[in-house]
Amino acid sequence: MASLGRSIDELMQALRCLPGVGPKSAQRMTFHLLDKQRDGAQRLLDALAQALDKVQPCQRCQILSEQTLCERCSDPQRRQDQLCIVEMPSDVIAIEQATHYQGQFFVLSGHLSPLDGIGPEALGIPKLLTWLDSGQLEEVILATNPTVEGEATAHYISELVRARQIKVTRLAHGIPLGGELEYVDSGTLSHAFSGRESI
Amino acid sequence: MASLGRSIDELMQALRCLPGVGPKSAQRMTFHLLDKQRDGAQRLLDALAQALDKVQPCQRCQILSEQTLCERCSDPQRRQDQLCIVEMPSDVIAIEQATHYQGQFFVLSGHLSPLDGIGPEALGIPKLLTWLDSGQLEEVILATNPTVEGEATAHYISELVRARQIKVTRLAHGIPLGGELEYVDSGTLSHAFSGRESI
Ligand SMILES: [Zn+2]
Ligand SMILES: [Zn+2]
């Protein structure tokens, strides 16, 4: 569409860096911010400035944090011999809320995706290797997403871990608790069936 | 989910002011901005600051503009006797690209929506009335969206215009050019049929 002025065009363009935001929604967001939501826009401006200034990946585990070393990494009470590897910061929270896990975390911030130019470097694998070589770890728990990319990433990392004689585990696949068999997808069902346990 | 720190929480909250952004996408956007897209986040910060500083609604037609009086309103070449009323700034661009219209515009920035507390004041109707009373206008073209809300808004405004003995027109409804009859919705088809023209 034709221009409404340089500042408006630039804001529309800049909003496109947000995941899932195409030209149409960037335009809608721009009008919304500058027209109906001036207060919201100012709040967003302040929050973004603040977060860009204060938040960075933890030097050790890569979770987003306001400290150089996040609260988990600087907590001497946590087990040092277990390391759980996840894709996103939100996975850390989900695991902490669902389990009693008290070990270390490592946040990849994504998964291997060669087509998008996301290789081991981008996920912080060199930093992970240093950790694996430290001799502190007895078990590495792979908790990437059960997607093709997540599984491929887990496989890649498992080779690196195994080469260092450290035990590797991954989250069990199977039927979700509380689900009904007929609604479970067939891949999961087949996996759960062949992996059946004696009771 | 549990907290990853105050700055991150606040950014997630602030992003919720964007249209169509719920808690899950706000979270995804936050991680994206602070993790993978630091450059994009900085660009967004600058663009938003710039736009909030420079852009406001035109004093006369309410379109977003970097000037107090937008380029259309300050152009003496444009016809002063025609006023086209639209919902969004993007509608102005769409009409200019599709037609040779060279008159004035008035941007409501929305439509009447009593349930959301959007009444005549919020759309700038008092300012529109002053314009209608100026004696400059011969025709008011209603180009709100063909939705229930857009039609209701057009109806409301048409009464105000008619009361001032100014001609009111609205965009013709009918079958879109290049469409196939069987794919046209029945409301449109019925409207086009009853409004058939002799050739
Ligand atoms: Zn950490
Ligand atoms: Zn104007």
Side-chain angles (χ1 to χ4, degrees):
Chain A
M1 78 180 226
S3 173
L4 285 171
R6 192 176 299 178
S7 308
I8 297 178
D9 289 350
E10 172 58 16
L11 180 54
M12 277 189 212
Q13 280 302 318
L15 282 164
R16 305 265 319 263
C17 83
L18 295 171
V21 175
K24 271 285 169 192
S25 27
Q27 182 181 302
R28 204 153 46 96
M29 287 175 172
T30 298
F31 295 150
H32 205 72
L33 286 170
L34 297 180
D35 207 331
K36 296 216 189 312
Q37 277 277 358
R38 299 292 287 212
D39 291 352
Q42 187 63 50
R43 182 181 174 188
L44 177 56
L45 180 68
D46 297 341
L48 187 55
Q50 178 88 341
L52 277 174
D53 181 44
K54 295 214 169 160
V55 176
Q56 72 285 303
C58 166
Q59 278 188 346
R60 188 157 171 267
C61 75
Q62 300 192 141
I63 201 171
L64 292 175
S65 170
E66 294 183 25
Q67 283 88 42
T68 326
L69 211 58
C70 77
E71 57 177 39
R72 285 174 196 78
C73 286
S74 48
D75 179 358
Q77 305 292 315
R78 299 183 75 97
R79 291 183 63 160
Q80 301 292 325
D81 57 350
Q82 285 183 317
L83 175 61
C84 177
I85 301 181
V86 297
E87 291 187 30
M88 297 301 291
S90 43
D91 301 329
V92 171
I93 309 288
I95 288 171
E96 290 203 329
Q97 287 182 334
T99 74
H100 295 290
Y101 181 70
Q102 279 289 322
Q104 308 297 311
F105 281 101
F106 189 81
V107 179
L108 300 168
S109 289
H111 44 245
L112 292 174
S113 185
L115 290 180
D116 303 314
I118 301 174
E121 290 276 339
L123 302 182
I125 302 295
K127 180 180 294 183
L128 177 63
L129 288 181
T130 313
W131 202 341
L132 295 178
D133 287 332
S134 70
Q136 292 181 311
L137 295 169
E138 309 250 308
E139 180 185 3
V140 169
I141 302 161
L142 297 173
T144 53
N145 288 329
T147 57
V148 173
E149 299 86 355
E151 298 284 358
T153 306
H155 178 77
Y156 174 84
I157 296 173
S158 72
E159 299 288 307
L160 300 173
V161 181
R162 247 190 289 271
R164 283 157 179 84
Q165 276 79 47
I166 301 167
K167 179 176 161 194
V168 197
T169 57
R170 64 172 195 166
L171 300 194
H173 288 309
I175 299 164
L177 289 180
E180 291 183 55
L181 268 200
E182 63 174 310
Y183 297 118
V184 174
D185 72 280
S186 62
T188 302
L189 192 53
S190 144
H191 192 99
F193 193 83
S194 65
R196 62 193 179 277
E197 300 158 345
S198 43
I199 51 171
Chain B
M1 77 181 228
S3 173
L4 285 171
R6 193 175 301 179
S7 308
I8 297 177
D9 289 348
E10 172 57 17
L11 180 54
M12 277 188 212
Q13 280 302 320
L15 283 164
R16 303 269 315 265
C17 84
L18 295 171
V21 175
K24 271 283 169 195
S25 26
Q27 183 181 303
R28 204 154 45 97
M29 287 174 172
T30 298
F31 294 150
H32 204 72
L33 286 170
L34 297 179
D35 208 331
K36 297 220 188 312
Q37 277 277 0
R38 298 293 285 211
D39 292 353
Q42 187 63 50
R43 182 181 174 189
L44 178 56
L45 181 67
D46 297 342
L48 188 54
Q50 179 88 343
L52 276 175
D53 182 41
K54 295 213 170 160
V55 176
Q56 72 285 305
C58 166
Q59 278 188 346
R60 189 157 170 267
C61 75
Q62 301 193 143
I63 201 171
L64 292 175
S65 171
E66 294 183 25
Q67 283 87 42
T68 325
L69 210 58
C70 78
E71 56 178 40
R72 285 174 197 78
C73 286
S74 48
D75 178 357
Q77 305 292 315
R78 299 184 74 98
R79 291 185 60 162
Q80 301 292 325
D81 58 349
Q82 285 183 317
L83 175 62
C84 179
I85 300 181
V86 298
E87 291 188 31
M88 297 301 290
S90 43
D91 301 329
V92 171
I93 309 288
I95 288 171
E96 289 202 331
Q97 287 182 335
T99 73
H100 296 291
Y101 180 70
Q102 279 287 322
Q104 308 297 310
F105 281 102
F106 189 81
V107 178
L108 300 167
S109 290
H111 44 244
L112 291 174
S113 185
L115 290 180
D116 302 314
I118 301 174
E121 290 276 340
L123 302 182
I125 301 295
K127 180 180 295 182
L128 177 63
L129 288 182
T130 312
W131 202 340
L132 295 178
D133 287 332
S134 69
Q136 293 180 310
L137 296 169
E138 310 249 309
E139 180 185 4
V140 169
I141 303 162
L142 297 173
T144 53
N145 288 328
T147 57
V148 173
E149 298 87 354
E151 298 284 0
T153 306
H155 178 76
Y156 175 83
I157 296 173
S158 71
E159 299 288 308
L160 299 174
V161 181
R162 248 191 287 272
R164 285 158 178 82
Q165 275 80 46
I166 301 167
K167 182 176 158 193
V168 197
T169 58
R170 64 172 196 169
L171 301 193
H173 289 309
I175 299 164
L177 289 180
E180 293 183 55
L181 268 201
E182 64 174 307
Y183 296 118
V184 173
D185 71 279
S186 62
T188 302
L189 191 52
S190 144
H191 192 98
F193 193 83
S194 64
R196 61 194 180 277
E197 300 158 346
S198 40
I199 50 171

